[in-house]
Amino acid sequence: MEIKVTLAQTNRTRPQDSALGFGNVFTDHMFVMDYSKDNGWHDARIEPYADFSVPPSAMVFHYGQAIFEGLKAYKTPDKKICLFRAKDNFERMNRSAKGLCIPQIDVDFVMDAMKKLIKLEEKWIPETLGTSLYIRPTIIATDPFLGVRASYTYKFFIILSSVGAYYADGLNPVKIWVEKEHVRAIRGGMGEFKTAANYAASLFASEEAKKNGYDQVLWLDGIERKYIEEVGAMNIFLLIGDELVTPILNGSILPGITRYSVISLAKKWGMNISERKISVEEVFKAHEDGKLTEIFGSGTAAVISPVGEIRYGDKVISIGDGTPGETAMKFYNALTDIQYGKAEDTENWLEVIG
Ligand SMILES: *Cc1c(COP(=O)(O)O)cnc(C)c1O
């Protein structure tokens, strides 16, 4: 399929790297294509970033048939544009699509379209270490219809956002709130798919946690509310004695690409890494026994986010000494060194696109 390009008539400039936050500066262009039963994915185009015209009856607004991805392009010190495991994102998008009855995309085609868009928007990629171009591929259901069924038409789009360093002043450990009542997802539901609805489901508890002075929610499993699943929109790792534990994928946990990367590095470094069920009681017991030395989250936005405090009902425990743990830092440095081309890419995760 050919990609039609319409250039924007604008000379906007990128804000200074130090003024960038997360997800509020968008670039000049976007990639869009449409799907219909008769034509499949068609009308692929790069066009000026602008409002869409979608009818109020579009199914996405009523029944939430929407999926997305989140990945980044990085500028290395020698000005190369790099992607980190990008194909994994689009393969995951196809798994999410299947789960929500959305048609599959051609991974190689959308990868090419994305690269073309990124190269066109090169001036929007910030260059300071820790900054990046955040990439948001999304698919929404567009049938103008109020009956309940999977839509027959869809819109796929990729928008780009210049983002600042997640940690402007170092990796500060976050405080997390173990959520006892609300759940994010359940096995058999949509937890393993990257869909808008999972975020809607997380808001109430996140707001409650914030009101109580906590940064993120630690989600427990939706059935017994006993086993740890994720932290905020990140996967979670715990260092207990010499064992690095992450919850095993059970259908309600999002299979993070950063999670896979941490597991691979841990194996490579000869660490004792396990993917298994871990209950919140076990975590508190490990703390009591003096064995719980670190907890950290993993995800594309923050890479690694150390946890400094957990609250579960009226029990509060501190992890570490208020500074990021050694293991969290080791993973953070190893991953960012690969992403910014500062270390040899021994795992073949990086793709230089320009
Ligand atoms: C995207 C996401 C993650 C992290 O996945 P990465 O591929 O590592 O960015 C973790 N949990 C949830 C709920 C997510 O949506």
Side-chain angles (χ1 to χ4, degrees):
M1 196 183 348
E2 212 193 304
I3 300 172
K4 189 178 162 219
V5 180
T6 310
L7 295 180
Q9 299 304 314
T10 163
N11 53 7
R12 292 164 64 224
T13 51
R14 189 182 85 229
Q16 289 205 321
D17 289 3
S18 59
L20 291 169
F22 181 82
N24 51 5
V25 172
F26 298 98
T27 70
D28 295 329
H29 301 86
M30 60 185 178
F31 172 79
V32 187
M33 64 180 179
D34 297 298
Y35 179 91
S36 67
K37 278 213 147 137
D38 292 342
N39 298 320
W41 288 110
H42 63 278
D43 205 5
R45 59 216 188 257
I46 287 173
E47 58 188 27
Y49 176 94
D51 294 356
F52 287 132
S53 173
V54 185
S57 54
M59 291 184 81
V60 64
F61 297 135
H62 307 278
Y63 308 125
Q65 214 186 350
I67 56 173
F68 66 94
E69 271 302 326
L71 65 159
K72 287 173 170 177
Y74 308 86
K75 199 67 155 294
T76 65
D78 54 353
K79 313 271 185 228
K80 290 199 180 89
I81 308 170
C82 293
L83 294 171
F84 181 77
R85 308 190 71 171
K87 196 168 185 182
D88 295 352
N89 286 91
F90 289 105
E91 283 169 353
R92 182 170 69 190
M93 190 170 214
N94 266 341
R95 290 197 300 276
S96 301
K98 186 165 183 239
L100 276 93
C101 301
I102 291 171
Q104 297 285 292
I105 49 169
D106 177 334
V107 170
D108 292 326
F109 176 75
V110 292
M111 286 276 291
D112 284 347
M114 173 182 72
K115 289 177 200 170
K116 197 166 177 173
L117 177 66
I118 294 169
K119 283 192 220 168
L120 177 66
E121 302 289 58
E122 178 163 4
K123 73 166 192 194
W124 292 98
I125 312 177
E127 303 191 352
T128 317
L129 189 71
T131 64
S132 57
L133 187 70
Y134 186 79
I135 306 161
R136 171 54 58 86
T138 306
I139 303 178
I140 55 170
T142 51
D143 275 13
F145 182 55
L146 295 183
V148 179
R149 58 156 169 78
S151 182
Y152 299 150
T153 56
Y154 296 87
K155 201 178 269 302
F156 172 102
F157 56 90
I158 301 176
I159 55 173
L160 306 175
S161 175
S162 312
V163 301
Y166 199 88
Y167 300 103
D169 29 52
L171 262 69
N172 285 325
V174 296
K175 290 167 71 180
I176 60 176
W177 172 269
V178 185
E179 179 53 52
K180 293 175 99 163
E181 200 176 328
H182 303 280
V183 299
R184 189 191 79 93
I186 54 160
R187 294 200 293 284
M190 298 200 296
E192 64 184 339
F193 307 128
K194 215 166 173 76
T195 174
N198 289 335
Y199 283 72
S202 76
L203 298 178
F204 192 91
S206 301
E207 294 298 317
E208 287 291 302
K210 275 180 214 151
K211 273 185 218 153
N212 285 289
Y214 286 78
D215 304 297
Q216 304 263 3
V217 170
L218 180 76
W219 300 104
L220 301 180
D221 75 279
I223 294 169
E224 294 176 75
R225 289 183 232 189
K226 190 171 155 190
Y227 298 99
I228 284 177
E229 297 218 321
E230 297 200 50
V231 55
M234 288 183 287
N235 295 112
I236 188 168
F237 287 83
L238 304 99
L239 188 63
I240 299 176
D242 77 342
E243 185 193 18
L244 184 64
V245 186
T246 192
I248 189 160
L249 299 180
N250 60 357
S252 56
I253 293 173
L254 197 286
I257 291 156
T258 321
R259 174 186 181 277
Y260 286 124
S261 306
V262 168
I263 294 172
S264 300
L265 289 176
K267 283 184 180 157
K268 189 177 156 185
W269 295 339
M271 291 179 77
N272 173 14
I273 163 94
S274 20
E275 293 177 69
R276 64 172 175 85
K277 279 168 96 167
I278 174 162
S279 68
V280 67
E281 277 86 55
E282 181 184 340
V283 176
F284 279 78
K285 176 77 171 47
H287 178 264
E288 230 174 82
D289 297 345
K291 287 186 174 164
L292 175 67
T293 48
E294 289 189 44
I295 300 184
F296 57 88
S298 73
T300 296
V303 189
I304 296 292
S305 177
V307 171
E309 182 182 316
I310 322 182
R311 179 178 201 110
Y312 180 51
D314 48 20
K315 285 189 279 185
V316 181
I317 56 174
S318 296
I319 301 112
D321 59 3
T323 64
E326 204 181 304
T327 311
M329 281 311 294
K330 194 173 168 193
F331 283 112
Y332 179 81
N333 290 329
L335 289 168
T336 52
D337 282 355
I338 294 175
Q339 289 162 344
Y340 291 89
K342 296 207 303 176
E344 199 196 332
D345 174 28
T346 50
E347 315 307 302
N348 222 347
W349 286 336
L350 212 62
E351 186 183 354
V352 179
I353 63 163

